[in-house]
Amino acid sequence: MSSLDELIDKRRSIRKYKADVPPAEWINSMLRCAIMAPSPTNSQPVRFIKIGSPEIRDSLYRAMADAQQRLLKSAMASSTPNKLKNRINIY
């Protein structure tokens, strides 16, 4: 069995995450891999921001949830509310 076969065979889905922060070298390694990943037309549309403060993370979460609710509310007034609602929730 090749390394790739073994990796795929032993994969698992994580449904619950620990609150522990992974070591910095793990995060840096994952970021290096993500940065090198291909993107459409080599546009590199993704940006990575490390948020270390739980207060800032919670504030960002609340702001995003509020914006999502505002978008969903305006989507309901459109001619295709379900289509827009699905796109908003996926994004």
Side-chain angles (χ1 to χ4, degrees):
M1 183 180 285
S2 75
S3 297
L4 178 60
D5 292 334
E6 185 176 344
L7 181 65
I8 292 170
D9 186 51
K10 291 185 177 183
R11 72 161 178 74
R12 60 185 187 189
S13 296
I14 306 299
R15 302 279 188 248
K16 187 174 181 182
Y17 296 93
K18 296 179 180 178
D20 305 342
V21 176
E25 61 266 12
W26 290 13
I27 294 172
N28 291 335
S29 177
M30 288 184 277
L31 285 173
R32 273 193 304 278
C33 291
I35 288 167
M36 293 173 27
S39 65
T41 65
N42 201 28
S43 59
Q44 308 301 347
V46 179
R47 301 293 180 260
F48 301 96
I49 301 170
K50 179 182 178 185
I51 300 174
S53 163
E55 294 83 15
I56 293 173
R57 185 182 62 233
D58 292 342
S59 175
L60 178 61
Y61 175 82
R62 284 191 304 275
M64 291 176 69
D66 291 346
Q68 179 189 24
Q69 290 306 310
R70 285 195 307 273
L71 284 171
L72 288 170
K73 185 176 179 181
S74 62
M76 295 311 287
S78 76
S79 60
T80 56
N82 287 336
K83 185 176 182 179
L84 286 173
K85 184 175 78 167
N86 289 339
R87 287 190 177 180
I88 291 166
N89 286 328
I90 288 169
Y91 183 75

